[in-house]
């Protein structure tokens, strides 16, 4: 199973409620994925890069890692720990910082990098994960969240969704891919760096790779429909965009709803049912292999 | 909420639990019920075996009206996966859209979807009549055994794949036919049967002559010894 929710705000009016509404939606999807959960929130772009790191063993020395990264990049790094995660802000290049951390700080996992995205995940009750990382109080423009019932790889924090391998890009997945090992090797040969054995991380890496090569979000998703084999409903976030796609035989559920104020996506309608103005929403089931995307100027 | 044998009640899921609402419906022997605030709840009004009249105001989740017997259920909204799954008799109507596998394995009764039904509508149907006001998705009437599927709009890919003996009537276009499903002539008996179905579903103004009929070519019924090498 697995549960997906996504909320993309079309107006500023609800920016202060983004986290609270996303937490409400996530709560409804607990039953679809009680193993673990995670969320990505997109806020206003910051001047520098920020990275969210995870210490699965909880024993990372965050300030030592920050000092080493500072020395390697020759740029100031600030670190703010939150539970077993830490948010690093650097004046240096974010993608280069990610590559350096993956190569030189194997005790941590880089969960996200970008100017807008912050991504948190954890094992156990999705409500507790949301609470631990302060989801209800978070503000921003759009958010994606996931509750996981693991099939393809172990139940670990790093193996929880969302997955992000490119700047301000993330993906959540309901389903399973069958060609992820071959695709992972192909992407690694093209310079992508993966941190788990998870099939969904390969899908995230594939999209990041396409967009790094110049694809728009919807072009990248269109290419994914040809190159990814398996069952999937994906919700995808970028700095200014949001997309949803289902595999060509629509194995996994999805519902979309749109009002003048927001676009919401979920595995089931009950996660959308409590959003403000839902009574006036246009509600539909996304068609197989059709790309639905929304964007604003980043 | 105290569960008692009620009739002609308004049941509100904003205040009562799903279990209590379902129990009230199970205990009732007759009457009209209105269910408020379903908010996408799953397994609402399943297994009703009395001639109740149930109206649900809003969107429901999975398996609404499953195993229905005798009751008449109307969902004033959309329905999730598995609407009226394994329906035995009675009527289940949805005024909006239904997600995949609507009417799956239904043995009898009538399912009416006024909007669109998505993939696998009528999968493995065994005698149910399904009338869809809009279009149906891919793999509809997959392995259908008996009953009728009427589609006023279009049908997606692989309609009637591996069909046994159900009758499929489509007014619009069919993206493609599945294995062993073929177009068949509309004879008078089919026009008459379709007239009755459309009337029962509330489409009295729709002309049966505008439909095409599809069904089984009956080539997959028996094992062919010529194929033994394939196993």
């Amino acid at each position: 199973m697995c549960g997906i929710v996504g909320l993309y705000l079309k107006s500023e009016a609800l920016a202060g409620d983004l986290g609270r509404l996303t937490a409400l939606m996530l709560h409804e999807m607990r039953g679809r994925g009680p193993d673990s959960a995670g969320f990505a929130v997109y806020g206003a772009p910051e001047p520098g890069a920020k990275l969210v790191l995870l210490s699965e063993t909880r024993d990372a020395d965050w300030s030592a890692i920050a000092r080493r990264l500072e020395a390697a990049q020759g740029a100031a790094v600030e670190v703010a720990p939150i539970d077993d995660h830490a948010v690093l802000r650097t004046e240096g290049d974010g993608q280069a910082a990610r590559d350096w951390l993956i190569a030189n700080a194997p005790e941590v996992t880089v969960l996200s990098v970008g100017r807008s995205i912050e991504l948190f995940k954890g094992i156990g009750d999705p409500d507790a994960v949301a609470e631990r990382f302060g989801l209800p109080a978070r503000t921003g423009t759009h958010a994606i969240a996931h509750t996981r019932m693991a099939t393809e790889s172990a139940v670990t924090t790093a193996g929880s969704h969302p997955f992000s391998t490119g700047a301000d890009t993330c993906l959540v997945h309901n389903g399973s891919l069958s060609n992820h090992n071959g695709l992972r090797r192909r992407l690694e040969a093209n310079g992508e760096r993966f941190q788990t054995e998870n099939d969904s991380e390969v899908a995230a890496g594939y999209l990041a790779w396409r967009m790094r090569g110049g694809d728009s979000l919807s072009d990248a998703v269109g290419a994914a429909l040809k190159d990814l084999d398996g069952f999937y409903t994906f919700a995808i976030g970028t700095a200014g965009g949001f997309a949803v796609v289902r595999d060509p035989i629509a194995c996994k559920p999805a519902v979309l709803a749109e009002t003048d104020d927001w676009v919401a996506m979920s595995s089931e309608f009950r996660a959308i049912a409590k959003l403000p103005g839902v009574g006036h929403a246009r509600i539909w089931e996304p068609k197989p292999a059709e790309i639905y995307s929304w964007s604003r100027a980043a | 909420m105290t569960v008692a044998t009620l009739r002609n009640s308004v049941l509100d899921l904003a205040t009562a639990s799903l279990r209590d609402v379902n129990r009230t419906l199970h205990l009732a022997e007759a009457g009209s019920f209105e269910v408020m605030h379903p908010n996408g709840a799953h397994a609402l009004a399943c297994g009703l075996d009395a001639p109740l009249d149930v109206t649900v105001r809003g969107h429901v989740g999975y398996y609404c009206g499953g195993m229905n017997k005798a009751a008449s259920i109307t969902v004033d909204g959309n329905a999730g996966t598995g609407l009226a799954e394994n329906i035995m008799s009675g009527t289940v109507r949805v005024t909006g859209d239904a997600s995949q596998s609507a009417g799956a394995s239904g043995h009898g009764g009538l399912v009416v979807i006024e909007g669109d039904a998505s993939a696998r509508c009528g999968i493995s149907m065994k005698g149910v009549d399904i009338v869809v006001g809009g279009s149906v998705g891919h793999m509809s009437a997959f392995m259908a055994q008996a009953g009728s599927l009427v589609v006023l709009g279009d049908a997606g890919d692989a309609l009637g794949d591996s069909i046994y003996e159900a009758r499929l009537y489509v007014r619009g276009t069919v993206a493609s036919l599945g294995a062993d499903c073929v177009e068949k002539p509309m004879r008078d008996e089919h026009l008459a049967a379709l007239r009755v179905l459309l009337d029962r579903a509330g489409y009295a103004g729709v002309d049966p002559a505008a439909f095409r009929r599809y069904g089984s070519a009956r080539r997959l019924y028996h094992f062919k010894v010529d194929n033994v090498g394939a196993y």
Side-chain angles (χ1 to χ4, degrees):
Chain A
M1 232 188 237
C2 289
I4 297 178
V5 304
L7 183 60
Y8 180 85
L9 302 180
K10 293 162 72 180
S11 73
E12 295 288 317
L14 289 169
D17 296 311
L18 178 72
R20 182 180 65 81
L21 296 173
T22 305
L24 268 180
M25 295 177 77
L26 186 71
H27 171 78
E28 292 296 328
M29 291 297 96
R30 279 183 314 165
R32 292 187 65 93
D35 292 345
S36 52
F39 62 85
V41 176
Y42 291 84
E46 296 185 13
K50 57 183 169 183
L51 297 96
V52 181
L53 308 187
L54 159 72
S55 169
E56 187 110 34
T57 52
R58 295 178 173 268
D59 56 3
D61 183 342
W62 294 119
S63 51
I65 290 170
R67 281 195 303 276
R68 286 169 59 211
L69 177 61
E70 224 162 38
Q73 287 210 298
V77 175
E78 275 176 44
V79 61
I82 167 168
D83 199 66
D84 54 352
H85 292 42
V87 181
L88 265 65
R89 287 182 168 79
T90 174
E91 291 167 10
D93 180 69
Q95 197 65 41
R98 178 180 190 268
D99 291 347
W100 185 89
L101 286 161
I102 291 173
N104 297 285
E107 71 274 29
V108 301
T109 306
V110 184
L111 298 183
S112 69
V113 58
R115 291 170 60 213
S116 300
I117 191 173
E118 288 191 26
L119 196 160
F120 302 90
K121 46 177 80 170
I123 294 171
D125 177 21
D127 280 351
V129 174
E131 200 58 42
R132 197 173 341 135
F133 296 106
L135 174 59
R138 291 183 182 269
T139 61
T141 50
H142 50 303
I144 285 174
H146 186 269
T147 61
R148 182 173 187 225
M149 190 176 283
T151 54
E152 232 11 58
S153 61
V155 178
T156 60
T157 301
S160 310
H161 301 223
F163 284 101
S164 174
T165 71
D168 284 319
T169 304
C170 82
L171 167 147
V172 292
H173 176 201
N174 176 197
S176 63
L177 301 178
S178 46
N179 66 339
H180 60 284
N181 285 328
L183 202 53
R184 184 187 288 112
R185 284 193 292 274
R186 208 176 107 197
L187 291 167
E188 280 172 343
N190 282 289
E192 291 299 309
R193 291 290 166 264
F194 296 99
Q195 300 176 89
T196 73
E197 293 300 309
N198 190 286
D199 57 332
S200 312
E201 189 189 17
V202 176
Y206 178 88
L207 294 174
W209 171 67
R210 294 292 309 198
M211 286 191 272
R212 205 168 288 143
D215 268 9
S216 67
L217 173 57
S218 58
D219 287 347
V221 176
L225 278 167
K226 294 191 191 76
D227 280 342
L228 299 181
D229 185 19
F231 305 140
Y232 51 84
T233 291
F234 293 133
I236 300 147
T238 63
F242 174 65
V244 172
V245 68
R246 302 173 78 197
D247 68 62
I249 55 169
C251 267
K252 297 295 177 182
V255 180
L256 275 164
E258 183 168 14
T259 68
D260 289 343
D261 295 320
W262 47 258
V263 176
M265 180 273 172
S266 181
S267 302
E268 299 175 23
F269 174 73
R270 61 195 165 122
I272 296 170
K274 286 172 185 164
L275 293 178
V278 71
H280 310 291
R282 183 170 84 88
I283 298 164
W284 74 102
E285 184 171 293
K287 292 190 185 305
E290 194 158 317
I291 301 160
Y292 298 85
S293 67
W294 289 264
S295 62
R296 64 171 74 80
Chain B
M1 175 175 127
T2 312
V3 175
T5 310
L6 299 171
R7 34 166 79 204
N8 307 330
S9 302
V10 175
L11 308 170
D12 191 349
L13 280 162
T15 50
S17 74
L18 177 63
R19 209 160 266 218
D20 282 346
V21 167
N22 279 333
R23 200 173 290 138
T24 302
L25 295 173
H26 287 158
L27 290 172
E29 288 165 3
S32 293
F33 294 84
E34 205 170 356
V35 179
M36 312 302 288
H37 301 110
N39 283 346
H42 296 328
L44 183 60
C46 291
L48 303 188
D49 59 3
L52 312 181
D53 198 353
V54 179
T55 302
V56 182
R57 303 280 179 205
H59 309 306
V60 295
Y62 294 2
Y63 310 125
C64 181
M67 302 171 285
N68 189 61
K69 195 168 139 191
S72 174
I73 301 169
T74 299
V75 176
D76 187 9
N78 301 327
T81 296
L83 173 79
E85 189 179 54
N86 218 63
I87 181 173
M88 302 304 286
S89 61
T91 304
V92 175
R93 176 184 292 270
V94 168
T95 63
D97 299 332
S99 185
Q100 64 176 333
S101 304
S105 80
H107 286 251
L110 176 68
V111 179
V112 182
I113 297 149
E114 296 182 5
D116 296 328
S118 60
R120 307 170 189 99
C121 180
I123 181 171
S124 196
M125 53 194 282
K126 297 175 175 70
V128 64
D129 292 318
I130 303 173
V131 180
V132 180
S135 298
V136 295
H138 62 274
M139 298 297 281
S140 287
F142 176 54
M143 296 189 82
Q145 290 143 57
S148 301
L149 172 66
V150 180
V151 182
L152 276 64
D154 303 325
D157 277 315
L159 176 72
D161 192 277
S162 306
I163 186 172
Y164 292 78
E165 283 304 317
R167 289 173 175 178
L168 315 180
Y169 302 101
V170 182
R171 186 167 65 166
T173 60
V174 174
S176 66
L177 293 173
D180 212 32
C181 185
V182 293
E183 185 171 353
K184 296 186 164 186
M186 272 288 226
R187 295 193 299 268
D188 288 347
E189 66 189 273
H190 304 117
L191 290 168
L194 184 52
R195 175 75 275 149
V196 171
L197 274 172
L198 288 166
D199 288 348
R200 279 172 65 207
Y203 293 102
V206 173
D207 181 8
F211 289 75
R212 296 172 142 204
R213 182 170 73 101
Y214 305 88
S216 176
R218 304 188 177 100
R219 287 174 307 217
L220 297 179
Y221 267 42
H222 306 291
F223 179 72
K224 290 191 172 63
V225 75
D226 297 349
N227 294 332
V228 74
Y231 296 93

